Amino acid sequence: MKIIGIGKNYVVDKSEIDDLKNDVQLIFTKPDSSLVTDSKDVVFPPITSQLIYEVELVVKIGKTAKNVSIADANSYISEIGIGIDYTAKDVLTANRDKKGPWALAKGFDGASPISGFKPVSEYPELDNINFDLVINGEKKQVGNTGYIIYNFAEIISFVSSFMTLNPGDIIFTGTPAIGAGETFKGDHLQASIEGELLLDFKMI
């Protein structure tokens, strides 16, 4: 399976969206070994001392997608979940200084905790899905897909023009524009879609 991520994909003000669309989406990939499922606790990665969380809606591909049009792209989504896209910020900074890739900073073991998935039919308005992240009882991030720069269909269409998406592939679709921050050992993270708690784990 493939795990696709997209960076810098939300705005604070919807009026910014049109100006920020430039047909150059910031796409990266993560290995499936980065996944943590079933709300299992996540071991703090020893490769970093600066671990940054970003809550994101995650879409699962339900059928083979290649060169898919934007108009048809949402029909390729089978399920939706929520996850945390972790970044080892210190590793990323070191790689950027050398103009290197993001792989080590985004793809380490435990970098992608994800919830179980719900049928896409449970979310009839894909451009109006609410989600949030609570850490240690405090709400840290709140998102709504109405503030997305490149929506689900545009992401799928763009990615499928470069690589075939297969059933079971998943896409992290971006984090709210504000609220991302640092995770520490002992943190309790809870992520919800439309008020339903779907991801609940501790960083150990």
Side-chain angles (χ1 to χ4, degrees):
M1 65 173 296
K2 291 185 288 297
I3 303 171
I4 309 293
I6 181 167
K8 298 180 179 179
N9 198 34
Y10 275 79
V11 294
V12 175
D13 188 330
K14 290 182 181 181
S15 66
E16 301 175 274
I17 292 174
D18 288 341
D19 289 339
L20 290 171
K21 284 191 176 184
N22 56 14
D23 297 323
V24 182
Q25 298 183 37
L26 180 58
I27 301 293
F28 57 91
T29 60
K30 298 163 73 100
D32 59 6
S33 56
S34 71
L35 290 175
V36 181
T37 59
D38 302 321
S39 288
K40 292 175 183 171
D41 291 341
V42 178
V43 176
F44 193 98
I47 52 89
T48 182
S49 58
Q50 191 179 17
L51 185 63
I52 304 300
Y53 64 80
E54 296 174 292
V55 69
E56 308 195 12
L57 291 180
V58 183
V59 299
K60 182 182 288 188
I61 300 298
K63 56 185 178 180
T64 302
K66 178 62 180 174
N67 292 324
V68 173
S69 70
I70 293 174
D72 293 336
N74 281 338
S75 70
Y76 289 79
I77 301 172
S78 61
E79 298 171 279
I80 295 178
I82 195 165
I84 308 294
D85 173 25
Y86 273 123
T87 304
K89 184 68 179 296
D90 46 357
V91 176
L92 180 62
T93 298
N95 287 347
R96 279 176 168 168
D97 288 344
K98 298 177 183 178
K99 297 183 178 180
W102 292 14
L104 298 181
K106 288 282 196 180
F108 52 88
D109 291 353
S112 311
I114 60 170
S115 70
F117 286 84
K118 310 280 285 188
V120 68
S121 59
E122 294 196 14
Y123 306 102
E125 295 182 79
L126 295 183
D127 60 350
N128 187 27
I129 301 175
N130 295 294
F131 61 105
D132 63 73
L133 174 66
V134 172
I135 302 179
N136 302 327
E138 181 181 352
K139 192 167 286 187
K140 293 291 190 177
Q141 287 190 280
V142 176
N144 178 279
T145 51
Y147 290 82
I148 205 167
I149 299 171
Y150 294 102
N151 61 33
F152 298 163
E154 290 166 329
I155 297 169
I156 291 168
S157 177
F158 180 78
V159 172
S160 74
S161 70
F162 289 87
M163 66 184 81
T164 300
L165 293 169
N166 294 313
D169 287 349
I170 61 174
I171 303 175
F172 281 73
T173 57
T175 198
I178 57 176
E182 194 166 354
T183 291
F184 303 93
K185 282 186 179 181
D187 280 351
H188 180 196
L189 294 93
Q190 297 172 298
S192 302
I193 304 178
E194 295 293 352
E196 182 180 4
L197 180 61
L198 294 176
L199 181 63
D200 188 349
F201 69 94
K202 289 184 178 179
M203 179 62 66
I204 59 175

